[in-house]
Amino acid sequence: MKRISNFFTILLLILMFAFFSNTAYASEIVSEVAADEEEKIAGAYIIVESYSITNERIIPGEPFELTLVIKNASSTFEARNTLVDITDPAGVAPEYGKVSEFYLGDIDPGSSKTIQLKYNSWTSIKTETLDFNVLIVTEDKTHSTTLRIPAGAEEPFAILSLDIPSSGKQGDSLSTSLTFKVLGEENIRDVAYIVKVDEEEKVNTAIGIMKPGATKTSATAFSIPDAGKHTIEVLLRYSDETGKLYTMTAGKETVTIEKKVNQQKTSEASKDTNEINQGPNYIGMGALAAVIVLLFFTVVLILKKK
């Protein structure tokens, strides 16, 4: 009986040891998984990988779109609950009903997400750059950066539309059309619409003084006599308050001028007519023969009467 009691005691001790060992091992595995998850979150590093803006600069008074590429620069760690908040500079505001805040959620290691925001701008902008402060917040980290974006109009005009022909025929009428708008808050003087063909002025149309915000459409017609490839360039010429002249290129196009088929046919027809005219005049010869015959019979009749 004593042996049986000892056997069960030993068996109970073995089972208890095995139970507590497995429990400790399981706890250790859970701890390792939790630590691994925590490491994944803690290691994420979020950056503004790139950005772009309409027309590469902010033109006062003109709407624009800002595009940001947000990247998780970590190769192994995940960024969770990512939020991007943009502090806008004075002089711009998101379009009506929008805010400069984006929730991106989770971003996998090495992955990127793109956000776009449309803005309106005011004509009161006077600085050469505007600063957009971008704050990126995840569950455990915060990253901030400043985007310094060029502002102001380098040219006094914004080109709204431009139409330049790419082909035509020798001697036929060609036309260009340009719609443009005055930027800034000052009058632009001595404005002229110019069309050049192979660096030679074909058209120079005076427009005169244009007020801030004014829009103008100018169109003109011209012809190119020579077949082949030619360069058509459309320009705007203007002057400042001191009378100094400036030239702004609105656009340029290579046009292919083909030979006019009608001209060749006309030349060939003229050549054929000349050849016909230069040949024997059978009608004239027939008329002359008829006159001779008539004179002959007249003479014969006269002689018989005598």
Side-chain angles (χ1 to χ4, degrees), residues 24-35:
Y25 178 70
S27 299
E28 185 178 350
I29 292 175
V30 171
S31 298
E32 287 180 357
V33 170

Side-chain angles (χ1 to χ4, degrees), residues 157-164 175-181 191-195 207 210 215-220 233-237 248-251:
F157 305 110
I159 306 302
L160 304 181
S161 67
L162 176 62
D163 183 22
I164 302 177
S175 63
T176 61
S177 178
L178 171 67
T179 301
F180 60 100
K181 180 180 180 180
V191 180
Y193 172 70
I194 297 170
V195 177
I207 297 172
M210 294 186 66
T215 300
K216 178 74 174 177
T217 297
S218 291
T220 188
E233 186 176 12
V234 176
L235 308 104
L236 288 170
R237 186 173 292 163
M248 171 184 168
T249 299

Side-chain angles (χ1 to χ4, degrees), residues 50-297:
S50 63
Y51 73 92
S52 61
I53 191 167
T54 308
N55 297 326
E56 298 182 353
R57 64 190 305 109
I58 298 169
I59 299 175
E62 295 292 319
F64 64 93
E65 185 172 272
L66 176 64
T67 302
L68 300 177
V69 177
I70 307 300
K71 182 178 182 179
N72 181 356
S74 170
S75 59
T76 55
F77 306 132
E78 181 184 37
R80 293 184 177 179
N81 296 324
T82 306
L83 178 69
V84 178
D85 183 47
I86 304 173
T87 303
D88 302 319
V92 304
E95 65 178 359
Y96 182 76
K98 302 294 183 180
V99 294
S100 302
E101 186 175 281
F102 298 85
Y103 178 72
L104 302 182
D106 300 339
I107 303 178
D108 294 331
S111 297
S112 301
K113 291 191 177 183
T114 301
I115 58 178
Q116 292 179 318
L117 186 61
K118 293 182 178 180
Y119 283 90
N120 293 315
S121 67
W122 319 137
T123 57
S124 57
I125 297 174
K126 299 297 182 183
T127 58
E128 295 183 354
T129 59
L130 291 178
D131 292 345
F132 291 74
N133 296 316
V134 181
L135 183 68
I136 307 174
V137 180
T138 60
E139 281 189 356
D140 66 302
K141 282 191 175 184
T142 299
H143 177 79
S144 63
T145 187
T146 299
L147 307 179
R148 181 156 291 180
I149 299 176
E154 287 187 328
E155 303 285 1
F157 305 110
I159 306 302
L160 304 181
S161 67
L162 176 62
D163 183 22
I164 302 177
S166 59
S167 63
K169 290 191 176 181
Q170 190 176 7
D172 282 359
S173 178
L174 303 173
S175 63
T176 61
S177 178
L178 171 67
T179 301
F180 60 100
K181 180 180 180 180
V182 178
L183 303 175
E185 297 181 339
E186 297 180 356
N187 290 340
I188 308 298
R189 301 177 181 275
D190 304 320
V191 180
Y193 172 70
I194 297 170
V195 177
K196 286 185 175 181
V197 177
D198 299 331
E199 300 297 329
E200 180 183 352
E201 278 193 18
K202 281 283 186 180
V203 178
N204 189 329
T205 303
I207 297 172
I209 297 175
M210 294 186 66
K211 296 180 179 180
T215 300
K216 178 74 174 177
T217 297
S218 291
T220 188
F222 56 94
S223 63
I224 301 177
D226 301 324
K229 291 188 179 296
H230 302 271
T231 301
I232 297 177
E233 186 176 12
V234 176
L235 308 104
L236 288 170
R237 186 173 292 163
Y238 60 97
S239 67
D240 59 15
E241 296 293 334
T242 65
K244 185 178 179 180
L245 286 175
Y246 298 88
T247 302
M248 171 184 168
T249 299
K252 186 183 290 188
E253 181 77 36
T254 299
V255 59
T256 302
I257 301 298
E258 300 176 356
K259 287 185 178 180
K260 198 169 184 180
V261 178
N262 291 339
Q263 289 181 344
Q264 292 179 340
K265 288 185 176 179
T266 302
S267 299
E268 291 174 0
S270 299
K271 182 179 178 182
D272 293 340
T273 302
N274 291 333
E275 288 178 353
I276 291 171
N277 291 335
Q278 291 173 4
N281 190 345
Y282 295 105
I283 296 174
M285 293 173 65
L288 180 59
V291 171
I292 293 172
V293 170
L294 181 60
L295 288 174
F296 174 77
F297 281 106

